[in-house]
Amino acid sequence: MAWTKYQLFLAGLMLTTGSINTLSAKWADMFSAPGCNGVPNHAFSHPFVQAVGMFLGELSCLVVFHILLCHDRRKPEPTMDPGQSFNPLLFLPPALCDMLGTSIMYVALNMTSASSFQMLRGAVIIFTGLLSVAFLGRRLQPSQWIGILVTIIGLVVVGLADLLSGHGNDSHKLSEVITGDLLIIMAQIIVAVQMVLEEKFVYKHNVHPLKAVGTEGFFGFFILSLLLIPMFFIHVGSFADNPRQVLEDALDAFCQIGHKPLILLALLGNTVSIAFFNFAGISVTKEISATTRMVLDSLRTVVIWVVSLALGWEVFHGLQILGFIILLLGTALYNGLHKPLMAKLPCFPGEQRAEEEEAPERERLLGGGRAANES
């Protein structure tokens, strides 16, 4: 069945905004500008300020939800299901996980390439799978366990590519690249916890996905904005890449933006793209399928890699292609993309039916409910 123009638009919007989200964050990291009180030119390294901007984009999904709801209610026969009422504090635990995981990933993005950043985020299916077995009582199919194993191999290959390319990388030291890669994988554990919390405590309340993303964005934006105050006074030494060597110097960020307004454009690109990416992702799940959404999310890794190469942000390394293909294979196996092929084989009917029964829950956990990896 051919896609409609609207479905093509949604798929293109998700692919474009998802790619812009990571690329704009990396673009901001590559700027240098003077700071406050005559501080000389230095790199823009403000991951927590960037995370606040990302949560502002998620918060805007709440505005979009109410706009769509008001528009729908003006129709003679409203069709939009706003979901049931719920206690917003249900979203506080997953929002805290989102806040911590996103902040760690923005720190890591300062240390490694945009393409490796996007590829290594594929580790989330490993931890989501394991945690869903431990805390949700889910039984994984053999193909899912194989997918997890293949994903681990893919992560090793991508890490090896970073290790080899790090020796000739002028923008990042080898130690920074290794630390950044490890931080990304660590962040995926937190993201997996977030997904399991959402599955166990939130989505059983039939909350509209846009409202769920917006509510988590609300908590993330205001809590992290308040945390910027103590971060301004917490000295962390050489771990921080700002003149005062504090955990986050928001004033320095604003001064650098004032001296170089293009940084603001990059930050706005991040904020606006995450809002449209969440909307497009949820719409793709609704209008097409959660599997299509997963495929598009994998394709944006290719777009990010190609654009990074074209702009000279990183050098070509063949191992990255191999690592990406292995990660793609692992993700496809975990999400059951092999099922259409197996359906044609008469020897696997029982396993096919079992996997089809569990597919909706798995798809919701890994992306049908929200665009959690959104950044």
Side-chain angles (χ1 to χ4, degrees):
M1 181 179 174
W3 284 5
T4 64
K5 289 182 179 180
Y6 180 60
Q7 289 173 331
L8 286 171
F9 167 75
L10 290 175
L13 183 66
M14 180 182 169
L15 185 60
T16 303
T17 55
S19 303
I20 290 174
N21 183 249
T22 299
L23 290 169
S24 60
K26 187 62 182 177
W27 186 34
D29 293 339
M30 300 180 74
F31 280 109
S32 293
C36 302
N37 302 319
V39 174
N41 210 55
H42 58 281
F44 184 85
S45 179
H46 299 284
F48 296 99
V49 171
Q50 286 179 288
V52 168
M54 192 279 291
F55 283 117
L56 179 61
E58 285 193 0
L59 175 58
S60 66
C61 289
L62 203 56
V63 178
V64 173
F65 167 77
H66 287 290
I67 291 173
L68 292 175
L69 187 61
C70 290
H71 176 72
D72 184 69
R73 284 177 174 173
R74 291 179 181 178
K75 296 179 182 177
E77 296 183 4
T79 57
M80 182 177 173
D81 179 14
Q84 66 187 80
S85 58
F86 61 94
N87 184 352
L89 290 177
L90 279 172
F91 286 91
L92 184 57
L96 292 175
C97 291
D98 194 8
M99 184 178 70
L100 182 58
T102 300
S103 299
I104 291 173
M105 282 191 281
Y106 277 123
V107 171
L109 187 57
N110 262 305
M111 302 178 176
T112 191
S113 64
S115 60
S116 293
F117 169 83
Q118 195 64 37
M119 291 180 194
L120 291 172
R121 291 176 68 181
V124 70
I125 71 168
I126 300 170
F127 306 112
T128 304
L130 296 177
L131 290 174
S132 67
V133 170
F135 296 102
L136 298 179
R138 183 163 290 120
R139 183 176 61 87
L140 298 184
Q141 296 294 322
S143 59
Q144 291 177 286
W145 287 112
I146 295 172
I148 288 175
L149 180 61
V150 171
T151 300
I152 292 173
I153 296 171
L155 292 173
V156 172
V157 174
V158 172
L160 183 60
D162 276 350
L163 192 65
L164 295 175
S165 62
H167 289 287
N169 196 330
D170 296 329
S171 58
H172 299 292
K173 296 177 182 177
L174 180 59
S175 59
E176 286 184 347
V177 172
I178 295 172
T179 303
D181 288 355
L182 291 175
L183 284 174
I184 295 167
I185 294 174
M186 185 192 305
Q188 301 321 300
I189 301 175
I190 301 169
V191 172
V193 172
Q194 173 194 347
M195 289 182 172
V196 171
L197 286 173
E198 290 173 341
E199 176 77 2
K200 191 170 182 66
F201 299 110
V202 176
Y203 287 117
K204 65 181 181 181
H205 292 280
N206 186 30
V207 182
H208 191 281
L210 277 176
K211 194 173 184 180
V213 173
T215 306
E216 287 187 16
F218 171 83
F219 284 118
F221 176 74
F222 285 103
I223 293 174
L224 193 54
S225 295
L226 290 174
L227 287 177
L228 288 179
I229 299 172
M231 286 180 185
F232 185 80
F233 301 99
I234 300 174
H235 286 267
V236 293
S238 58
F239 179 78
D241 195 15
N242 57 67
R244 295 180 57 246
Q245 294 190 328
V246 292
L247 191 56
E248 180 60 282
D249 190 343
L251 289 181
D252 181 65
F254 293 132
C255 288
Q256 286 188 291
I257 292 170
H259 284 108
K260 185 161 287 188
L262 271 179
I263 299 175
L264 180 60
L265 180 62
L267 296 179
L268 285 175
N270 191 315
T271 300
V272 174
S273 63
I274 195 65
F276 280 99
F277 178 64
N278 276 289
F279 170 75
I282 291 166
S283 299
V284 165
T285 302
K286 180 182 176 183
E287 298 289 336
I288 310 173
S289 71
T291 301
T292 302
R293 180 176 179 175
M294 186 275 294
V295 172
L296 290 171
D297 200 45
S298 299
L299 284 176
R300 72 176 175 131
T301 303
V302 179
V303 174
I304 290 166
W305 182 64
V306 170
V307 172
S308 297
L309 286 175
L311 295 174
W313 290 359
E314 53 187 275
V315 295
F316 175 82
H317 203 294
L319 269 181
Q320 270 200 326
I321 299 178
L322 177 62
F324 172 68
I325 292 172
I326 296 173
L327 284 171
L328 195 61
L329 176 61
T331 305
L333 282 170
Y334 190 91
N335 285 278
L337 291 189
H338 63 290
K339 289 188 295 182
L341 295 176
M342 290 183 65
K344 298 178 182 179
L345 302 176
C347 51
F348 296 107
E351 181 180 345
Q352 176 68 18
R353 283 195 301 271
E355 290 194 1
E356 284 176 349
E357 289 173 359
E358 293 197 4
E361 288 188 358
R362 180 168 66 254
E363 286 179 337
R364 182 175 63 173
L365 182 64
L366 287 178
R370 68 182 304 255
N373 308 350
E374 14 319 87
S375 53

